[in-house]
Each structure stands twice: as C-alpha cells, then as structure tokens.
Amino acid sequence: MKERYIGLMSGTSMDGIDAVLVMIDGDELRVEAALCHPWPADMAHALHALCTPGDNEIDRLGVADHQVAQEFAAATQALLAKAGLAPAAIRAIGSHGQTIRHRPQLRFTLQIGNAALLAALTGIDVIADFRTMDMALGGQGAPLVPAFHQALFAKPGALRVVLNLGGIANISVLPGNAGGVYGFDTGPANTLLDGWYRRHQPHGGSYDAGGKWAASGKLVPALLEQLLAHPYFAAPWPKSTGREMFTLDWLDGELAGSAYAPVDVQRTLQALTCHSIARQLPALDETQSRPELYVCGGGAHNAPLLSELASLLPTWRIASTFDLGLAPDWVEGAAFAWLAQRFIQRQPGNLPAVTGASRLAVLGALYPA
C-alpha cells in the first residue's frame, strides 16, 4: 500500500530543519520532495543556550517548545507547497523534534517541539517521542538510524558502513546480514568545529563552510592526541553522546595554558573528527573485499574533512549516499518518516544490538490532528 509520510529533523548542529516527503510502498522508499527550513537567528541562539545548563531553564524551554513546533509546522507547510499537496495526502508526520539534552548515563533524553501543537497547526497526525521507549527498555535511545540504514542500504555479503556527519558523528555497520548490524555515536563531527568557528569568526556565518578556515590552519599533533585521550572514544558500544559531553568548555579545559592559534585548533578539531571515526570503524581481515563507507549529513559537503578521512582509510571505498539513491542531506529526515511508518504499522523501530535495549520495540507516540 502506497502512503506518503513527512520526516522532520533538526540535529545537534541546529543548522536548519530538514523536511522530507517520502512515498513508501512496501519495502521501497522514494523521496518526492525535500527542503531545509532555516531557524530564525534568535531562535537558533535560544536553542544553543538551552543546550547548556543555565538560569530559568523551565520557562525558557516551555517557550522554545512552542516555537519549535511553529517552525516545524512552517517547514511542513513549505514542503507541501513545494510538492503541490494538501495535508490530507500525508498519512503522518514523523517529528524528531530538537534535542536539548541527551544524557543516557542519567537515563533521560529530551527533544522539544510540542507535537500536539504541530498536529493542530498542520492538520496531520504526528508521531513523535521516538527515543524514550528504547530508553525505558534500558537502551541509549540512540542512534536510531541504523535500522533505517539496514532496511535501505544493506547489501548481502558486503560490508557497508553509513557515516552520518552531523553535530555528532554516528556509524551504522551493515555487514551483509541483518543479525550482525550494529552502530554507535563515534563522537564530535561538526559540533566543536561549528562552536569554535563561531567564537573566532563571529562575522563569518554559523559554520566553517566547506572547511575552508580549518584547511588554512596547521595540525597540532600533540593536541590531537590529547583530545583523543577522552575516555568516550575507547568506550565499548552500545554508546551515544551529544553536545553535553563535547563542549567548548571541555575544549577550553584541554587548551588551558596553551597558546595555539585559533585556526590551528580548528584544523586539529577536524583531525579529531576524522581520527576518532577511523579508529572506531570495524577491524578488517585479509579475506574481506573492499569495504564501503557512505557519508551523509552536513559534513558530507566538507571536502577537506572527507579528504583527510580518506587518507586514514586507504583500503576503504568512500562515497556519498547519493550513490545509494538518497541525497546525503535528506537521509535523517527520511529516516524519521520511515520510523513514523513503522509506528503506524506497529513494527519495531530500534535495534537492541545498537542501542542496548532489552528487546525490539515500536517507537513513538501518536498525536492525532
């Protein structure tokens, strides 16, 4: 049965709301339209501030919860206009919301974006709150995308890894058999790069476009090894992390007493992303054919970062998820459309081997229009 779903996603980079319209027909998924709805500058600032403990958090969170829903609704309406469709053409919206805190060690995760208000504003049923059931079953609540990657991208008998470069990097390891799938957050991708760039290039936009500023700096090997000593990188999976762990405050502590040029720190942060990923990819043996690494997320457009990653992985074939039929900017949005469809069909959306949950579970909650 053919049905249309919309996936809404704003990640830890907070560079915009990805809105993706998909048609799902059995096991086939096709993107029909997509767009990125930018956050208003004042809202982006407020959301960044909420990710750090501070004063009057509950009131600020309540206001932001309402505003995030309004922006998600605006993104939905723009997507419908682009596709020439009415709300009645959509079976449901899968809304990830905006993560404000992710603290699996404390057994909670928090995504805002008032799903009831989103349903009221769009006239479309909304499936939201995807992470909490997995956490209730002892899981990390993240990453959730490996199940989607397995469904769309796995190839029998071939080792494929899907790497999402958002604010945080995560990998899905698809060994060619469904039972062996695993994945986890590897650590920071863009979150430290973006934050350091905004601090030192305040008039240059919200991120280092194309990695150009980082490319103009010099690697500091001693600093790189110091940063790579963070215990998260050596921790076993299942594991997940967020902006709360890899913060500018943490970086400032690591830099205390040093006099590195800011641009050299940026170059070294790029290397931190690449080395932390490369060191956590599955070990290969001599009998394996050339493994494949497919990149998605905003970092897929950072050519210097991808070039450095390729230099660390000479035996791997590295490409974009374009090669698998899905543009890298729309993979996560499509994943939450797919998770909404899984909820409607009462099918599990998590992989316990990935998240650490005690069992498979239907993820999400319904907010009817």
Side-chain angles (χ1 to χ4, degrees), residues 32-311:
E32 293 191 329
L35 57 81
C36 182
H37 178 80
W39 287 110
D42 59 338
M43 273 205 67
H45 178 76
L47 291 171
H48 281 293
L50 266 178
C51 289
T52 303
D55 295 332
N56 201 29
E57 281 189 322
I58 294 178
D59 284 347
R60 290 190 292 122
L61 186 144
V63 171
D65 186 46
H66 188 95
Q67 292 175 329
V68 168
Q70 290 178 313
E71 293 300 323
F72 271 41
T76 300
Q77 289 153 358
L79 184 65
L80 290 173
K82 182 177 182 178
L85 294 173
I90 309 302
R91 178 65 181 85
I93 293 170
S95 176
H96 171 266
Q98 178 63 63
T99 298
I100 297 301
R101 298 287 164 82
H102 181 68
R103 297 195 185 276
Q105 70 277 13
L106 299 178
R107 311 306 312 148
F108 85 90
T109 187
L110 178 60
Q111 289 75 41
I112 63 172
N114 194 324
L117 178 58
L118 178 59
L121 292 173
T122 61
I124 302 170
D125 289 354
V126 172
I127 315 300
D129 193 23
F130 286 101
R131 300 190 186 275
T132 53
M133 177 54 78
D134 185 87
M135 295 194 94
L137 295 170
Q140 298 263 322
L144 297 182
V145 290
F148 174 70
H149 294 159
Q150 165 67 19
L152 261 70
F153 299 145
K155 179 181 178 181
L159 173 60
R160 287 179 168 176
V161 175
V162 181
L163 167 64
N164 176 55
L165 292 172
I168 298 296
N170 57 67
I171 58 172
S172 301
V173 181
L174 315 176
N177 60 88
V181 176
Y182 67 94
F184 52 88
D185 292 344
T186 60
N190 297 319
T191 185
L192 288 173
L193 286 164
D194 292 351
W196 189 255
Y197 178 83
R198 284 192 296 267
R199 176 187 287 182
H200 293 281
Q201 302 287 310
H203 305 297
S206 61
Y207 66 99
D208 183 12
K212 294 179 181 178
W213 190 51
S216 69
K218 296 179 180 180
L219 177 66
V220 184
L223 176 60
L224 173 61
E225 290 306 316
Q226 178 183 340
L227 299 178
L228 284 167
H230 192 294
Y232 181 82
F233 299 124
W237 51 271
K239 61 179 180 177
S240 61
T241 187
R243 295 161 52 102
E244 302 82 9
M245 182 174 292
F246 294 100
T247 64
L248 288 184
D249 286 344
W250 167 73
L251 180 59
D252 288 340
E254 297 294 316
L255 294 173
S258 66
Y260 304 125
V263 69
D264 294 342
V265 174
Q266 184 79 353
R267 172 67 185 84
T268 305
L269 290 175
Q270 175 185 293
L272 174 66
T273 292
C274 295
H275 281 257
S276 61
I277 292 166
R279 293 183 184 190
Q280 296 180 82
L281 287 176
L284 306 177
D285 62 53
E286 295 179 357
T287 66
Q288 285 178 309
S289 58
R290 191 180 188 192
E292 302 169 356
L293 180 69
Y294 293 95
V295 184
C296 59
H301 304 292
N302 188 328
L305 188 152
L306 295 181
S307 178
E308 180 167 5
L309 186 61
S311 73

Side-chain angles (χ1 to χ4, degrees), residues 327-343:
D329 290 326
W330 312 131
V331 173
E332 282 206 299
F336 282 90
W338 180 83
L339 283 168
Q341 193 255 3
R342 298 288 287 180
F343 175 91

